């Protein structure tokens, strides 16, 4: 009998396992594939490695901007080496998680978990079966890509994000179905690696969950990189034999030949195959129902991460896993989801925290907005990355900062400072005498904050 059994070794699962083990509990972690889950093995980490290769290639091609001369225009992408670099990053990170399991004396079992009772799991792996019993259980089974109903994934022509990580070669023509985070990141990779990329998005803008003007900056840059963008458009069919995609735009029906089709229309909680229905846990296709303590409808069973159908971000999964484990160990913690940074590693990067302008206006009415362009920032000029801006939203009553969006260089690093401002419920006027380091990109953030109350100096 274990104290706690963990189903899933992704960000939520392995953090929960470590948290419980450090609280003195006997922990078993059950993972069907590799430790680290989707994020580490076929998600956020390898995607960022590919994006780093694309960034480096682009910088080499345009090194003359910095006075570096030579046959730089002859640089080429060695895709096999790019893949080896990416795999090396993954292997080191997986080894790190394995080390943490060993260091914290966590038993790791390879296999899929199936509920026999609400305290008994049958673990199946390669023809073998093993019974696991635990006083408490935490479900962190993650999520999986959503396919088009008329075009299931085949891993050869119709791809999901995991397939797109490890293609044998850069496809000459890549159709990306879905202009959200995943679609835009892969478009940013492959368009700069040599692909002709076509994005098809149903919404009226790319990145539908972000501010329209912020997403607009990204769309313009993608187009400069040769990406063809179709918004307010939908795929109506695919022909595998002819390798063509048929889609409808506001201008009518179109068809295009493609070497690969990446379907990036979202991910769904992985709730099937565990026999949840037999033990009385409340769940649906939208995920396992949990309260703010990450507790399910059964008091001794918790769930965390993508499987709950909440915010599908690794850092949110870390937090939820920690909260679930603390409560499974007898604590009383609550999930804090008011301030969750959103990072998109495109070129330029996009990052935000808190409310969008539309959400802020709906909640507060006449809000104050401060903006500062990177074209007026000295460090951005040095980097030759001046596209984009910082946008700060301030509510009218107390001047509390309620939303910050950034599109431009190092946006995903800058958003950490922005998140801290919202986490501490900082007001714009409280930063009146704040001294930002110079020259840095972070100056743009604080100029935008000051601009929201009419006190910007350089804007």
């Amino acid at each position: 009998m274990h104290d706690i059994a963990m189903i899933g070794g992704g960000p939520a699962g392995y953090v929960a396992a470590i948290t419980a083990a450090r609280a003195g509990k006997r922990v078993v972690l059950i993972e069907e594939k590799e430790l680290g889950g989707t994020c580490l093995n076929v998600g956020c980490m390898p995607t960022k490695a590919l994006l780093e290769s694309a960034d480096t290639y682009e910088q080499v091609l345009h090194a003359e901007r910095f006075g570096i001369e030579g046959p730089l225009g002859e640089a080429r992408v060695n895709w096999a080496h790019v893949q080896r670099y990416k795999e090396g990053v993954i292997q080191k990170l997986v080894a790190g998680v394995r080390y943490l399991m060993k260091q914290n004396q966590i038993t790791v079992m390879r296999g899929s978990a199936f509920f026999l009772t609400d305290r008994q799991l049958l673990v199946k792996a390669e023809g073998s079966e093993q019974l696991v019993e635990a006083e408490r259980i935490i479900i962190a089974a993650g999520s999986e890509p959503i396919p088009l109903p008329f075009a299931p994934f085949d891993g050869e022509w119709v791809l999901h994000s995991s397939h797109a990580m490890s293609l044998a070669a850069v496809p000459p023509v890549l159709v990306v179905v879905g202009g959200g985070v995943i679609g835009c990141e892969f478009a940013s990779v492959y368009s700069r690696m040599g692909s002709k990329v076509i994005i098809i998005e149903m919404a009226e803008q790319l990145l539908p969950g972000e501010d329209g003007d912020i997403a607009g900056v990204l769309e313009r840059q993608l187009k400069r990189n040769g990406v063809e963008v179709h918004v307010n458009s939908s795929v109506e069919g695919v022909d595998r034999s002819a390798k063509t995609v048929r889609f409808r735009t506001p201008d009518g029906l179109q068809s295009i030949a493609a070497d690969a089709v990446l379907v990036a229309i979202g991910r769904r909680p992985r709730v099937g195959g565990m026999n949840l229905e037999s033990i009385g846990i409340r769940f649906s296709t939208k995920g396992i129902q949990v309260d703010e303590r990450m507790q399910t409808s059964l008091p001794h069973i918790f769930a965390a991460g993508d499987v709950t159908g909440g915010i599908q971000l690794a850092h949110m999964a870390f937090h939820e896993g920690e909260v679930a484990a603390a409560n499974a160990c007898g604590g009383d913690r609550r999930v804090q989801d008011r301030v969750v940074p959103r990072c998109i590693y495109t070129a330029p990067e996009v990052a935000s925290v808190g409310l969008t302008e539309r959400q802020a206006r709906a909640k507060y009415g006449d809000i104050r907005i401060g903006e500062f362009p990177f074209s007026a920032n000295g460090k951005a000029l040095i980097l030759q990355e001046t596209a984009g801006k910082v946008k700060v939203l301030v509510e009218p009553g107390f001047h509390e900062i309620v939303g910050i969006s950034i599109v431009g260089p190092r946006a995903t690093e800058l958003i950490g400072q922005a998140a801290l401002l919202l986490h501490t419920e900082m007001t714009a006027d409280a930063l009146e005498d704040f001294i930002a380091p110079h020259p840095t990109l972070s100056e743009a953030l604080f100029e935008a904050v000051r601009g929201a109350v009419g006190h910007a100096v350089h804007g």
Side-chain angles (χ1 to χ4, degrees):
M1 174 69 73
H2 296 85
D3 294 322
I4 298 177
M6 213 72 55
I7 301 176
Y14 82 73
V15 167
I18 293 169
T19 302
R22 289 178 177 173
K25 302 300 182 181
R26 294 167 297 170
V27 180
V28 58
L29 185 150
I30 305 160
E31 170 55 51
E32 187 174 4
K33 297 179 181 178
E34 294 291 341
L35 288 173
T38 295
C39 174
L40 197 156
N41 291 278
V42 289
C44 42
M45 301 311 293
T47 311
K48 297 345 165 238
L50 293 180
L51 283 157
E52 190 65 30
S53 291
D55 288 344
T56 302
Y57 179 51
E58 186 174 39
Q59 193 163 23
V60 169
L61 289 180
H62 300 289
E64 75 282 352
R65 296 177 300 179
F66 303 94
I68 309 300
E69 298 180 350
L72 300 171
E74 299 174 12
R76 63 185 179 86
V77 174
N78 186 321
W79 187 246
H81 285 188
V82 169
Q83 289 292 321
R84 281 200 291 273
Y85 154 65
K86 180 205 72 179
E87 290 300 321
V89 171
I90 295 171
Q91 288 168 14
K92 288 179 181 178
L93 291 170
V94 171
V97 177
R98 288 198 194 107
Y99 170 76
L100 289 171
M101 298 297 102
K102 183 177 180 180
Q103 183 187 47
N104 290 282
Q105 300 181 340
I106 296 165
T107 302
V108 177
M109 295 180 63
R110 178 68 63 87
S112 57
F114 182 89
F115 279 94
L116 295 176
T117 70
D118 60 356
R119 284 188 169 85
Q120 291 183 319
L121 297 168
L122 185 65
V123 180
K124 301 180 181 180
E126 299 178 356
S128 66
E129 295 182 348
Q130 190 169 347
L131 181 66
V132 171
E133 294 183 290
E135 289 292 337
R136 290 176 175 81
I137 297 171
I138 299 176
I139 304 170
S143 61
E144 60 191 8
I146 300 173
L148 291 170
F150 49 81
F153 300 117
D154 58 27
E156 297 179 358
W157 187 61
V158 179
L159 315 173
H160 54 58
S161 56
S162 299
H163 300 139
M165 299 285 180
S166 305
L167 296 180
V170 176
V173 180
L174 173 66
V175 168
V176 178
V177 184
V181 174
I182 295 173
C184 286
E185 286 189 349
F186 275 106
S188 196
V189 169
Y190 283 107
S191 64
R192 292 181 293 160
M193 292 290 195
S195 293
K196 170 61 180 177
V197 178
I198 301 94
I199 299 177
I200 303 169
E201 167 58 47
M202 290 186 68
E204 61 184 11
Q205 66 172 63
L206 297 181
L207 306 179
E210 301 298 333
D211 265 322
D213 55 340
I214 298 294
V217 174
L218 173 62
E219 181 176 339
R220 289 191 291 275
Q221 189 59 49
L222 287 173
K223 288 179 176 178
R224 290 191 191 101
N225 290 335
V227 178
E228 187 178 314
V229 178
H230 297 276
V231 294
N232 293 311
S233 303
S234 59
V235 174
E236 295 197 350
V238 299
D239 187 330
R240 294 178 191 270
S241 59
K243 292 191 174 180
T244 57
V245 178
R246 189 173 69 255
F247 61 101
R248 186 170 297 280
T249 73
D251 297 324
L253 195 62
Q254 297 189 35
S255 182
I256 189 168
D259 298 282
V261 180
L262 170 61
V263 179
I265 58 175
R267 297 179 65 86
R268 62 191 177 194
R270 189 180 285 118
V271 293
M274 291 183 285
N275 198 30
L276 297 177
E277 58 278 2
S278 72
I279 61 171
I281 286 182
R282 297 193 190 99
F283 74 100
S284 68
T285 54
K286 295 181 179 179
I288 296 174
Q289 294 181 28
V290 292
D291 60 17
E292 59 185 1
R293 301 178 72 253
M294 308 312 296
Q295 197 167 34
T296 71
S297 51
L298 298 184
H300 63 288
I301 298 181
F302 298 77
D306 286 5
V307 76
T308 66
I311 301 172
Q312 293 182 342
L313 294 170
H315 44 279
M316 191 64 193
F318 290 150
H319 175 60
E320 291 179 351
E322 193 172 352
V323 170
N327 291 330
C329 293
D332 187 22
R333 288 187 58 183
R334 303 289 193 273
V335 165
Q336 304 298 321
D337 58 1
R338 185 181 69 87
V339 180
V340 183
R342 308 182 294 277
C343 297
I344 306 163
Y345 296 81
T346 45
E349 291 185 344
V350 177
S352 55
V353 63
L355 304 178
T356 64
E357 181 179 345
R358 180 179 299 175
Q359 292 168 335
R361 289 193 184 281
K363 184 173 183 178
Y364 296 106
D366 188 20
I367 59 172
R368 292 171 177 258
I369 299 177
E371 295 187 351
F372 192 82
F374 282 109
S375 59
N377 177 267
K379 186 60 180 290
L381 185 61
I382 290 169
L383 295 172
Q384 293 289 288
E385 297 181 44
T386 55
K389 63 180 179 179
V390 178
K391 180 176 182 178
V392 174
L393 310 177
V394 175
E395 56 85 23
F398 300 97
H399 291 177
E400 181 183 347
I401 302 167
V402 295
I404 299 177
S405 295
I406 307 172
V407 55
R410 314 293 195 272
T412 61
E413 297 294 337
L414 294 173
I415 205 64
Q417 296 183 45
L420 187 59
L421 297 181
L422 268 70
H423 183 75
T424 55
E425 300 182 354
M426 190 69 70
T427 59
D429 49 5
L431 295 169
E432 184 78 20
D433 296 321
F434 179 81
I435 300 174
H438 174 80
T440 63
L441 296 170
S442 64
E443 290 177 278
L445 171 58
F446 294 102
E447 287 280 5
V449 171
R450 289 164 61 92
V453 289
H455 295 154
V457 175
H458 295 92

